[in-house]
Structures are given as structure tokens and as C-alpha cells.
Amino acid sequence: MIRRPPRSTLFPYTTLFRSGRFGSGWFEDLADAGHVLGCSVELASGHLSNEQQSLNGSIGKGTDGKQSRSRTNYLYVGTFTKDIYVYEDGTKDVWALKDVVSTIGSPSFLIANRAGDRLYCVHELYEFDGQIGVVGAFVVNASNGNLTFLNSRSSGGYGPTHLALDPTGTVLVVTHYGSGAVTVFKIHEVDGSIGEQLFFVKPKSTAKAHMVTFDPINRYVVVVYLGLDNTVFYKLNKNSGEMVPVEIPLSNGSSNEVLHASVPKGSGPRHLVYNRNATHFYVINELESTIAVFSSRIPEFNGSFSLVQILSTLPAGNKVTSYAGEIAIHPSDKYVYATNRGHDSIVLFAVNDTDGTLIDTSIKFFSSGGSYPRHVVIDRSGRFLVASNQKFGGVVQMYIDVETGDLTPGQQLDVPSPVCALILAK
């Protein structure tokens, strides 16, 4: 059963800032859907695109993921230091450090645009040089993957934690765990730099907006509020930047309800992923260390997506204090992976290909290779994943057996306080 918050808590927000006039430009149809459905893991660092990447990278012979390949990958690691670490991986599955890019501090979440020539990050700061939180942009060198600083802006809130580009690459949405605010920025078409703030939503201080993404067919902006135990779905006007909650008419015909996906009180939803066909989405709950599976069928006469399953990310009888970190889905849609910070593991769930649920008799656990795995991202071919161990152990590449989903440890990279990894294929 879903324990639904009172309606007054589903959208306790006050619009404080808006620039531009409300007008045309709503994402009402599927014209832009291809920008999302065909994208690959490197475009959104394991979130919106991680779950609907295509298998264009085609897995080669064998099942353990250790095949050689002709393309080059670049790996960008965000940290809780001041640096972004840049690695290059040629055809022999060996990551080589190319550069260490100094920033203003805590470049903790990284994404790239669809072309892969611009990188954006949040600086998870509570104040810097008179600014409360910062969002930054970098140019990605097409020939060698190196980064060049482009510009930065105040993010408009305390403790920015996550960000997402709309599929056309014209607006950037940023969420803040500290203040709970959600801000929308224009992206300049000429050079991809971050432009003026278009829109600002101020929630309750306890909302703790932890993640933002776009649903696979570009209907909604999706914001995960850890402090509300709720995920709220918005329409975005890409011209004005205005975000408006989606409302579903109730059966009585006299009122509407904000479209949302609630989890049991105290669960603390952190991130979510969709499967490629957008039939289901999977929410990882930080505080209860669970995964909630939702049907993405639009409800009729009800504002709530259907919660169909909740499973623990920890083994039965676990006594270790642990908090769920990240969730990722394999490009084949056959496996879901999640990290446990404290138990220091990556849990593997097989997905039921009939109903999208997780098979509770097939749960497996693998060491993260370090301590406090905050993030995990899967290569777009499905050959390997990269885990970021925040406290110690650095970044670990793990090969994926495509027949079973099992993980085999590979190279370990000595990166201090890694908290996010982004893979770009060239």
C-alpha cells in the first residue's frame, strides 16, 4: 500500500522568480522523444539515459565483458575535493589518467550534452564567493577529451546535488538538497554556456530535492524529493523555463491531484531510473535501503503512479548501518544494480521481462571494492560498470557477465573522494 502524504504536502511550493512570458513550447508530443530514447549512458551519468540506452555499442563475443573494442572511452570522475579526474581508455580496457582539472570545489555530479562536447556539473557548496551553490560548464575537446572551463553561475540554492538537460539542450534544471530549491537556466545556443536563471521554485526547507531527470518520452520533468518521500512530475515550458506540476482530474470531476509517486513515510527517495520502454521506473530509497518499483502507466482519476513492489537492497539479517546510494539499469533491461553505503556492496536484481518487477529469488551481492559506494554507472554497451567509493577504494571498474549480470572486478583507480563518474564514448 502507498502511504500518501496529505495533498497539501504534495506541492508545498511558492514560485519566487520567473523571467520571460509563459507561452508556447510545451513538450506535448513525441517530436523530441528521440533525443531521450536513443541516448546512451554517458549523456546523463547513469540516470535518465542509463536506463534507455540502445545496444548500438554491441557487445562482442563472450559474456564476461572483457572484449577489446575499437573505440575510445573517456571517464570523468567528480569528487568531494576540488578536482575532476579525466581518464582515457583505449582498446585494451586500461584507464590512463590524462588530466586533473581544478575547480572551485566539490564537482559532485556531472552530465554531458547529447553531442558530448559540453560537460556540466554542480558544485555541492553551501556558499562560495558570495554565491550559494554553483553550477559550472566545460568544453570537451573532441580530439582528446580534455576539459576547458567555460563559465559558472550561482545555482540559486544551498547544496546543489543534481542536474539535467532537457532533450533539446536548451535548458538546464538543477536540484538542491540543502534548500530544496529547483532552478531552471537557459543554455546559450552559440557556445553551450550557462545563461540566465529562468525559473525558481522554493519548496519547504525539508523537501530535500535530490534528483531531477526527464522521463524517456519527454512528457515530464521528474523531481525526487527525499524529504517529502515523494516524486513530483512537471511540465516544462522550454521557452520560458517555467515548471508547472502535472495535474490529473479526479473522478468527481471537481478537483485535480498533482501527479506523483509516493513511497512509505521515512523511505527517503534519492534517485530513479526508467527501463528502455518506459513501462516502469525504479526508485532507490536512501534511508530505508529499498527499491520501489512503479508502473509508469498514467493513472486515471488518481494522481498517483501505482507502486507495485518494494524490495530491500540489503541481505536479510544485515546489522550494518547502511544507506542506499545509486541505482542503474543494464541497457538490456535484464538487470538492476544498486549501491549500499555502509554495507559497501553492489546488489544485483534480475528483472522479470513480463511485468518489470524485480525477481526476489535472484538477488546477488558483490563487493564495491572500497567503502561507501555513492555512485555507479554502466557503459552504454553493457560490458562494464564503474563504481565510485567515496570514503576509500577509489573508482573500480567491474566487468558484467551479460548472461548472468554477475560482476568481476577490474582496474582500480586511485581517486580521492570520488562521488560520480561519467563515461563519454568517442
Side-chain angles (χ1 to χ4, degrees):
M1 294 290 292
I2 296 176
R3 181 179 296 179
R4 184 180 304 162
R7 190 171 302 170
S8 62
T9 69
L10 291 177
F11 187 65
Y13 319 123
T14 303
T15 301
L16 297 183
F17 178 90
R18 179 179 56 181
S19 127
R21 185 176 300 227
F22 184 87
S24 62
W26 293 94
F27 294 141
E28 293 286 4
D29 54 40
L30 302 184
D32 290 326
H35 292 286
V36 182
L37 287 172
C39 60
S40 53
V41 62
E42 65 266 22
L43 300 184
S45 193
H47 292 287
L48 178 61
S49 52
N50 188 27
E51 64 274 10
Q52 59 243 2
Q53 55 200 305
S54 68
L55 289 175
N56 295 346
S58 80
I59 300 168
K61 294 180 180 180
T63 62
D64 63 1
K66 295 183 182 180
Q67 312 87 323
S68 63
R69 61 190 188 286
S70 59
R71 74 180 185 204
T72 297
N73 284 330
Y74 296 105
L75 177 68
Y76 302 87
V77 182
T79 69
F80 274 155
T81 70
K82 287 189 173 184
D83 301 324
I84 298 173
Y85 286 72
V86 183
Y87 289 85
E88 181 179 18
D89 174 21
T91 61
K92 296 182 180 180
D93 286 325
V94 177
W95 295 104
L97 181 64
K98 285 181 56 62
D99 198 10
V100 179
V101 181
S102 183
T103 74
I104 62 174
S106 292
S108 63
F109 206 88
L110 316 175
I111 63 170
N113 64 353
R114 187 168 186 260
D117 59 6
R118 296 294 183 272
L119 182 147
Y120 302 92
C121 73
V122 291
H123 297 280
E124 198 166 332
L125 305 170
Y126 282 74
E127 186 173 0
F128 175 80
D129 197 22
Q131 303 180 65
I132 51 171
V134 178
V135 59
F138 297 81
V139 175
V140 180
N141 187 299
S143 62
N144 60 24
N146 287 346
L147 299 180
T148 301
F149 176 73
L150 186 57
N151 79 323
S152 65
R153 294 257 183 184
S154 170
S155 65
Y158 293 102
T161 56
H162 206 273
L163 71 173
L165 284 167
D166 83 287
T168 66
T170 58
V171 295
L172 179 71
V173 187
V174 181
T175 53
H176 300 78
Y177 183 83
S179 61
V182 180
T183 49
V184 181
F185 294 88
K186 179 179 180 178
I187 296 296
H188 289 137
E189 184 176 356
V190 173
D191 63 358
S193 62
I194 302 170
E196 66 271 24
Q197 181 177 286
L198 299 174
F199 193 71
F200 180 88
V201 177
K202 174 63 178 176
K204 284 183 173 181
S205 61
T206 57
K208 300 185 184 302
H210 212 306
M211 181 199 178
V212 59
T213 190
F214 289 79
D215 82 313
I217 58 175
N218 201 15
R219 294 170 298 181
Y220 312 125
V221 183
V222 185
V223 180
V224 181
Y225 292 100
L226 184 147
L228 301 178
D229 292 312
N230 201 26
T231 297
V232 178
F233 296 76
Y234 299 84
K235 284 285 188 180
L236 171 70
N237 184 302
K238 64 182 179 181
N239 294 326
S240 69
E242 185 162 12
M243 289 172 51
V244 177
V246 178
E247 294 191 347
I248 302 296
L250 300 182
S251 57
N252 58 23
S254 62
S255 59
N256 298 332
E257 187 173 27
V258 171
L259 186 62
H260 64 281
S262 298
V263 293
K265 185 176 180 180
S267 296
R270 180 181 174 90
H271 289 170
L272 64 79
V273 291
Y274 280 85
N275 60 4
R276 281 190 300 153
N277 296 326
T279 59
H280 293 81
F281 57 94
Y282 305 82
V283 179
I284 190 162
N285 297 306
E286 176 177 338
L287 303 182
E288 288 295 316
S289 294
T290 56
I291 293 176
V293 182
F294 287 86
S295 167
S296 59
R297 180 184 178 89
I298 302 298
E300 294 183 9
F301 309 121
N302 183 344
S304 177
F305 283 104
S306 295
L307 174 59
V308 298
Q309 185 185 35
I310 294 181
L311 289 178
S312 177
T313 65
L314 295 169
N318 172 68
K319 302 298 183 182
V320 177
T321 300
S322 191
Y323 302 94
E326 184 59 287
I327 186 167
I329 190 166
H330 193 269
S332 67
D333 277 353
K334 293 170 61 176
Y335 314 114
V336 167
Y337 299 87
T339 65
N340 293 304
R341 298 173 295 168
H343 189 258
D344 296 339
S345 63
I346 299 173
V347 57
L348 162 64
F349 297 89
V351 179
N352 186 318
D353 60 7
T354 302
D355 61 12
T357 58
L358 304 180
I359 301 173
D360 59 7
T361 57
S362 68
I363 303 172
K364 300 178 183 179
F365 295 88
F366 302 88
S367 171
S368 70
S371 175
Y372 224 67
R374 184 182 178 93
H375 186 261
V376 65
V377 62
I378 302 174
D379 153 70
R380 72 175 180 180
S381 71
R383 296 174 52 253
F384 65 88
L385 61 76
V386 174
S388 298
N389 293 291
Q390 179 182 338
K391 292 188 176 179
F392 70 82
V395 174
V396 181
Q397 176 174 297
M398 300 186 185
Y399 296 104
I400 298 172
D401 185 317
V402 297
E403 297 298 328
T404 64
D406 289 358
L407 302 177
T408 301
Q411 187 177 4
Q412 193 158 10
L413 307 176
D414 185 15
V415 179
S417 300
V419 291
C420 173
L422 171 70
I423 304 168
L424 285 176
K426 296 294 184 181

